[in-house]
Amino acid sequence: MEIEEIYLKYKLHMFCIANNILNNYHLSEDAVQIAFIKIFENHKKIKDKKEKEIKAYISVVVANVAKTLYSINKKEQIKIEKIKGRYISDSRSNNENNLESKIISKIYFSERINKLQQRDRYLINLKYNFDLKNRDIAKLLNMDEKLVSKKIRKIEKSIGKEDL
């Protein structure tokens, strides 16, 4: 039996074997192609064999190729999962560190705010918690806008503006 005849006669059979192992259409097609290359390389050995022997040989070759592809694919998936897991773990770690530093910063900032005089706390609260502009705070407290601006800058400097 010639190699072309073998291909035409058994390609669907080979695909079914490969697809049962791989459960992936594209990988199964690859397995059939790789198997045919191997069969072509050994064509002289099977040229004079009976049809049942050829079918058995082809089945074994495609099954072995499919198992190899399955193993390679599985290893790649494991590598990808490890890389994703490491990335997720690293990003969680970074997020946890950022969150922890923000919490510590907030606690430290709250302690500094609590040490301010009541009027200064009130000004900072209006400025940052209520997002009021200096002009609005000045109107609310019946103060000059320049004085409000000056007081807020002084308070910010004393507690560290970068934490606000």
Side-chain angles (χ1 to χ4, degrees), residues 16-79:
C16 290
I17 291 171
N19 201 40
N20 282 335
I21 294 168
L22 295 166
N23 199 25
N24 180 308
Y25 182 85
H26 298 290
L27 280 177
S28 299
E29 285 183 332
D30 292 345
V32 170
Q33 296 304 315
I34 293 167
F36 264 111
I37 290 169
K38 290 182 181 280
I39 293 165
F40 179 75
E41 290 170 352
N42 296 310
H43 178 62
K44 291 179 183 176
K45 293 179 184 176
I46 62 167
K47 192 174 186 178
D48 299 325
K49 300 286 181 182
K50 295 180 184 173
E51 197 171 319
K52 284 186 178 182
E53 293 172 327
I54 293 172
K55 187 175 182 179
Y57 174 73
I58 288 171
S59 298
V60 169
V61 171
V62 76
N64 287 338
V65 169
K67 288 175 186 176
T68 302
L69 285 178
Y70 180 83
S71 177
I72 291 168
N73 192 40
K74 195 69 169 172
K75 287 177 185 175
E76 288 300 315
Q77 290 298 326
I78 290 169
K79 285 180 187 176

Side-chain angles (χ1 to χ4, degrees), residues 119 123 127 133-139 141-155:
R119 185 171 186 98
L123 280 172
K127 175 78 175 174
K133 296 182 178 174
N134 291 348
R135 166 184 35 156
D136 299 326
I137 295 170
K139 285 180 186 175
L141 299 176
N142 292 326
M143 294 174 66
D144 183 50
E145 186 178 341
K146 288 182 183 180
L147 182 62
V148 168
S149 179
K150 186 178 176 181
K151 282 187 169 281
I152 288 176
R153 270 191 309 234
K154 184 179 175 185
I155 296 166

